[in-house]
Amino acid sequence: MLYVVTGPPTAGKSSWIDAHAKPTDIVIDLDRITIALTGPGAPHWNHGTVQQRVAQRARYAAIDEATQHLDTVDVYLIHTMPSPKARAKYQRLDARIIVVDPGESIVMARIETMRSPAMQRVAARWYGARRRGRQAGMPQASRAW
């Protein structure tokens, strides 16, 4: 089964996966990939442009390979704002879309303390798209688990 976990930055997508994935499952999380590809002591967020680019390429390769094994493993994929093309691909793969959203005020407060100010724009875009009805998936409380 493919689980596409979506939501704004700092919503708790990784925490949701940590609570649900088994050790044998595949987890595709851009933050985890970037950390794996950078040296000791690298930040867990706010990575440099080159590091992000390399990690993004690794993420695409991981998605392509992992989705070929959905009959034998569960795959958890974090995708903050899937495009219509990505949503169509996930639909073809019978993915379960999980929306993690603790609320805009909580997200913005978390970004202010934990992330770069640029993430506020990403969160604002996510909430704007959601208000316009373009966000895929069924809403799910972020802490029902």
Side-chain angles (χ1 to χ4, degrees):
M1 168 67 71
L2 173 62
Y3 297 90
V4 178
V5 184
T6 184
T10 73
K13 299 179 294 291
S14 296
S15 297
W16 189 92
I17 289 173
D18 289 346
H20 291 85
K22 299 180 300 297
T24 55
D25 293 335
I26 307 277
V27 175
I28 302 172
D29 175 344
L30 187 60
D31 289 334
R32 290 182 188 193
I33 293 169
T34 307
I35 291 165
L37 295 173
T38 53
H44 283 234
W45 300 287
N46 305 329
H47 309 285
T49 304
V50 172
Q51 291 82 1
Q52 288 177 350
R53 180 169 286 147
V54 170
Q56 192 66 260
R57 296 290 298 264
R59 178 181 174 270
Y60 291 138
I63 292 168
D64 288 343
E65 184 62 29
T67 55
Q68 294 180 41
H69 303 283
L70 294 174
D71 56 334
T72 57
V73 296
D74 286 337
V75 176
Y76 291 81
L77 167 63
I78 291 180
H79 198 155
T80 298
M81 291 181 64
S83 67
K85 182 178 177 180
R87 288 193 306 264
K89 176 181 178 178
Y90 300 148
Q91 186 174 7
R92 283 191 309 275
L93 293 169
D94 273 338
R96 180 170 173 214
I97 307 296
I98 307 296
V99 179
V100 180
D101 178 16
E104 190 169 1
S105 61
I106 292 170
V107 164
M108 292 304 188
R110 287 177 182 171
I111 289 171
E112 192 171 317
T113 22
M114 300 186 329
R115 302 284 180 97
S116 76
M119 287 293 107
Q120 290 175 332
R121 287 190 304 276
V122 175
R125 224 172 53 239
W126 191 88
Y127 282 107
R130 192 157 175 84
R131 282 190 280 277
R132 289 187 300 279
R134 291 192 345 216
Q135 186 66 30
M138 296 300 294
Q140 177 167 330
S142 66
R143 297 290 185 222
W145 39 272

